[in-house]
Amino acid sequence: MTDEMLRAPAEVKYAEELDWLESVDDGPKPFSWRLSPRMVRLFILGSERSDGLDREIPQKWFGDRSFVERSIVTLASDRGLLLIGDPGTGKSWLAELLSAAICRNSTLVVQGTAGTTEDHIKYSWNVSMVIAKGQSRESMIPSPIMTAMEQGVIGRFEELTRSTSDVQDALISILSEKYVSIPELDDDNIVFANPGFSIIATANSRDRGVNDLSSALKRRFNFVRIPVVTSKRSEAEIVRFRTTELLRRHRIDLDVPPALLDILLQSFADLRAAAASATSDDEKLESALSTAEQIGVLEDAILHSQFFGDRSLHAETLASSLVGSLARRSPEDLAILNKFWHGVIEPRSKQDDGAPWQAFLDGGRQALDTLS
């Protein structure tokens, strides 16, 4: 079934694993949860030898255990959960995994944008049915959030701070009263949330000030702040995990040389250090330099090697992909990258065993010359 989807949701992708966990799970389950809190954590963070399971469960989200545990406890208390952090820190992936493990449905999602309206989180109407038969429950189109309320499952709200204040305020009654009124109807005009319903929202730290949350809405969420991954080892695990999925999805048989993965990780670490020491925004790349962007750079390089190269990943291709992905503004980003290439990459290429760095240096220079 997953072969028929461009991107299968977590509950489909890991269906066999979830079925097995459910079959051996004898722990207490809140509300209508499919797995106990311990098994939800195990599904997300992977199994350990001390768990005593007959099979290994791979780790799917890489981060501090306490963030996952606090998220699970929040949802078990039926409070709203707000995952907040910089772009690319895995907030949406964690929200999807939590929903998949708890209710086997992660697709009840509202995407917050400037165009999101109150109808997107409550309900709208099938105009043709209203004209033919009038307003009724049958002619009503429930939002993903309302559907989650009726089914007693998790609803998700992505990029909450991208939505306008009136849309955010519509969530207040849903989170506190756990029902939605339908004033257009005379009868059957209230939709009550069933046990197990909750909302997982995400927000980017960089969107602070776009549409700040009201204090009333903040009180109805438990906040879990997801920090940027600073451990090189943890970041390497995330990149390897995502790259393995990429290669499997594209049916590509290719090994990423460890030396090139180290170059990618070190380059992003150096770029972040340069951004941290910059005195103005003009000296910073527009990119957030997140782990997700590292994965995107590596994906671009792998696919380029597969389709237009010799099906082996080379440092020159990786450098070209990095420059092409991060040079979003011209001439600002190009100037920053050019300075970085001469001040950081070139000295590394002159160190002992700097052959991969030399090829990386040459590939980046060529890409910068092409874009300049």
Side-chain angles (χ1 to χ4, degrees), residues 81-82 110-113 121 157-165 167-169 171 175 199 201-204 207 211-213 217 221:
L81 170 65
L82 179 62
V110 173
Q111 182 65 50
T113 67
I121 61 173
F157 199 121
E158 291 289 315
E159 309 287 359
L160 180 58
T161 49
R162 285 286 175 183
S163 301
T164 56
S165 57
V167 174
Q168 295 179 16
D169 289 344
L171 282 176
L175 288 167
I199 293 177
T202 65
N204 282 329
D207 288 340
N211 289 300
D212 287 333
L213 303 182
L217 186 55
F221 278 112

Side-chain angles (χ1 to χ4, degrees), residues 136-205:
S136 65
R137 287 297 294 269
E138 289 72 26
S139 60
M140 190 177 71
I141 304 173
S143 71
I145 299 297
M146 180 178 283
T147 300
M149 294 175 69
E150 292 180 302
Q151 295 179 1
V153 297
I154 304 294
R156 295 168 53 202
F157 199 121
E158 291 289 315
E159 309 287 359
L160 180 58
T161 49
R162 285 286 175 183
S163 301
T164 56
S165 57
D166 57 327
V167 174
Q168 295 179 16
D169 289 344
L171 282 176
I172 294 177
S173 61
I174 293 175
L175 288 167
S176 58
E177 306 299 335
K178 301 295 193 294
Y179 67 79
V180 172
S181 297
I182 311 170
E184 295 92 339
L185 301 181
D186 295 327
D187 300 315
D188 195 17
N189 57 3
I190 297 180
V191 174
F192 291 96
N194 282 311
F197 165 72
S198 192
I199 293 177
I200 303 176
T202 65
N204 282 329
S205 304

Side-chain angles (χ1 to χ4, degrees), residues 35 41 54 62 141 174 240 244 284 308 326 338:
L35 293 176
R41 183 187 66 181
D54 294 333
F62 297 84
I141 304 173
I174 293 175
R240 286 194 194 96
T244 300
K284 298 179 183 179
F308 304 111
L326 301 186
N338 191 58

